[in-house]
Amino acid sequence: MAADNDNDALPEDQPETNGAEMMAQELSGLRAEVEAHKDRALRALAEVENVRKRLERERDDARTYSVTRFARDMLTVADNLNRALAAFTPEVRAKTDDSVKAVLDGVEATARELSAALARHGVKPIEAQGQRFDPNLHQAIAEVPAPDVQPGTVVNVVQPGYLIGDRLLRPSMVTVAKAGGGGNGAGQNFDSRI
């Protein structure tokens, strides 16, 4: 019985140029595939590195700013302690008896300890007195005539402001020297948005 495929060429009988072309094409395809896999692997590594850096940043921010709400609450306590101490001028204090002086000494020690505790957690006061008004740090509550001071300079700090890390925790409430030294300050616009 005769084979029906006697006319088909055997692989060994095919011309070598066709085989070399096929191998070159296959090699070229494999190289392209390797490059594509290499590119995907490099992109995945870059993405993992970006995620790692973002998580580190978020962890550092959480560590620095996690006490923000608590610190704001403690600032009202510090304000009340400072107001209590300010109510006793040196003249009044000199006239009080020793038991009241002892209480005042205790309140002063408490205020100092509270300030130190806030500082340990990155809460620091904003130096506003005599500084140029900065709407990012200060909230102007009034303009006052101050002929010996440049207009726009903080003349008085009504309530101190604080930063936590590099973020604003609470703006300083301040009065600002007005331009011209007279009038009612109309036309002066201090942006107190925070």
Side-chain angles (χ1 to χ4, degrees):
M1 177 167 189
D4 289 334
N5 59 2
D6 281 341
N7 295 335
D8 291 341
L10 295 173
E12 302 88 40
D13 295 337
Q14 291 184 356
E16 286 189 32
T17 57
N18 192 16
E21 267 181 40
M22 284 178 35
M23 291 194 58
Q25 286 176 350
E26 189 174 335
L27 184 60
S28 158
L30 290 174
R31 283 187 178 144
E33 192 176 332
V34 165
E35 285 299 317
H37 286 299
K38 183 179 177 182
D39 184 56
R40 265 188 259 142
L42 289 174
R43 288 177 189 269
L45 284 173
E47 180 66 23
V48 166
E49 183 65 19
N50 289 340
V51 168
R52 184 188 66 76
K53 286 179 182 177
R54 188 182 78 238
L55 289 175
E56 283 179 1
R57 220 176 16 255
E58 288 173 358
R59 181 197 64 208
D60 293 343
D61 283 352
R63 185 179 299 142
T64 301
Y65 303 114
S66 65
V67 296
T68 298
R69 190 174 292 145
F70 180 72
R72 264 193 204 109
D73 291 343
M74 290 299 101
L75 291 180
T76 59
V77 173
D79 291 340
N80 288 331
L81 285 172
N82 290 328
R83 280 194 275 285
L85 291 169
F88 284 90
T89 62
E91 297 83 27
V92 172
R93 204 170 201 184
K95 295 177 186 175
T96 60
D97 63 18
D98 289 341
S99 62
V100 174
K101 287 180 184 175
V103 169
L104 289 174
D105 289 343
V107 172
E108 284 176 340
T110 303
R112 281 192 308 271
E113 186 59 35
L114 180 58
S115 293
L118 288 170
R120 279 193 302 273
H121 291 282
V123 178
K124 54 189 178 243
I126 298 170
E127 295 298 325
Q129 186 73 35
Q131 302 295 315
R132 187 93 180 123
F133 177 79
D134 181 351
N136 297 313
L137 300 174
H138 309 133
Q139 182 175 356
I141 60 170
E143 287 183 283
V144 296
D148 56 335
V149 178
Q150 281 281 352
T153 301
V154 173
V155 178
N156 185 31
V157 177
V158 177
Q159 183 181 50
Y162 291 87
L163 297 170
I164 184 167
D166 58 353
R167 293 183 188 169
L168 183 67
L169 184 61
R170 179 177 84 182
S172 297
M173 294 179 71
V174 298
T175 58
V176 181
K178 68 172 135 181
N184 63 3
Q188 291 293 324
N189 185 11
F190 289 102
D191 185 3
S192 60
R193 288 175 289 140
I194 303 302

